[in-house]
Amino acid sequence: MKKTLLALAGTAALMGQALADINVGVTVSATGPAASLGIPEKNTFTLLPTTIAGQKVNYIVLDDASDTTTAVANTRKLITEHKVDVVVGSTVTPNSLAMIDAVAESQTPMISMAASARIVEPIDAKKRWVFKTPQNDIMMALAIASHMASQGVKTVGFVGFADAYGEGWYNEFNKVASTKGLTIVANERYNRTDTSVTGQVLKILAAKPDAVLVAGSGTPAALPQKTLKERGYTGKFYQTHGVANNDFLRVGGKDVEGTFLPSGPVLVATQLPADHPVKKSALDYAAKYEAAFGKGSVSTFGGHAWDAGQLLQAAIPAAVKKAQPGTPAFRAALRDALEAVKEMPGAHGVFSMSDKDHLGLDQRARVMVKIENGTWKYQP
């Protein structure tokens, strides 16, 4: 009898492990200044599989309203109340940086959907738990600087957000500008919630740059460009990959025509050459998103969420072989499995992680794009 009971208990334990849910905690900026980025990310989580490696997957999605304090509170809630196995988020760099302490303390892996390299570099005791899917700013800054040089630009006016995103972009662009023969002649900042940038624009105009680089994201990035246009600026405009969504086109209107920007391949997936290594995987995401949310609705930001989902689909099968979801051992195994992902195609590039690289993207993850007739035009 005792042997029978022990056997039944062992069977129940195995069944419990087989049926254990994997909980994925998500915090996105679905409202507030970064909403045009966070909404497609939130939408994308509805497209991700609810079963991976035979385990049920639950996505607990919270809105941090583009607010750093709320993002941290959401992270702690997901970890302590929902007992999540992994945190995905947030949408913007300041929020993601603020979340690192919480995930490191609880030893919960995190996949950020924000761009700054500071989120994952340098890899230390805290950041060994943190991964991200968007291209590093330096990769995109080099693409912009190279394009500027090819267009005969010599002097550049810079205006960016007065936060970690703007500072990070200035530092990265400043590193590569001189290597391409570029001189930064103006360096201005503004807040995401500002409604006027007249003072900053007047200083840029006084410097008479050949081109202006706006280091903002989402719809607030349109403000300096619209103001410069109103004041008669006729030089070239560059934006960062932080504006690659249709809301920016809608808000910017005719004032953003002719703008150049670097982007993940997913933005122009249908225009990519047939042999582009990301074309197939980018088209797959675009087709699924547009089938659910309408033709022309896909954006690069949703692509970052999709790639987080692809990383989890690649890593979870290895992790469940080592530990049961809901345990510290599983979280550690999932972290290790994420770090071991190799040559995984996503919407934005091909990911190959390592213990020294928690982004894992290379030059296959960027293209240059021009805004023409209110749409995105691939620049070979």
Side-chain angles (χ1 to χ4, degrees), residues 25-28 87-91 95-96 99 110-114 131:
V26 181
T27 178
V28 295
V87 172
V88 182
S90 176
T91 301
N95 291 7
S96 294
M99 292 161 54
M110 165 181 157
I111 304 174
S112 172
M113 299 177 289
F131 302 80

Side-chain angles (χ1 to χ4, degrees), residues 223-262:
L223 180 61
Q225 188 160 343
K226 290 177 76 71
T227 308
L228 280 159
K229 282 277 192 177
E230 289 167 5
R231 294 279 175 165
Y233 181 72
T234 57
K236 291 180 171 60
F237 282 102
Y238 288 79
Q239 292 270 355
T240 73
H241 55 312
V243 304
N245 67 55
N246 289 338
D247 274 351
F248 176 78
L249 297 179
R250 174 182 57 80
V251 170
K254 61 179 176 54
D255 292 326
V256 299
E257 277 289 308
T259 301
F260 295 103
L261 64 142

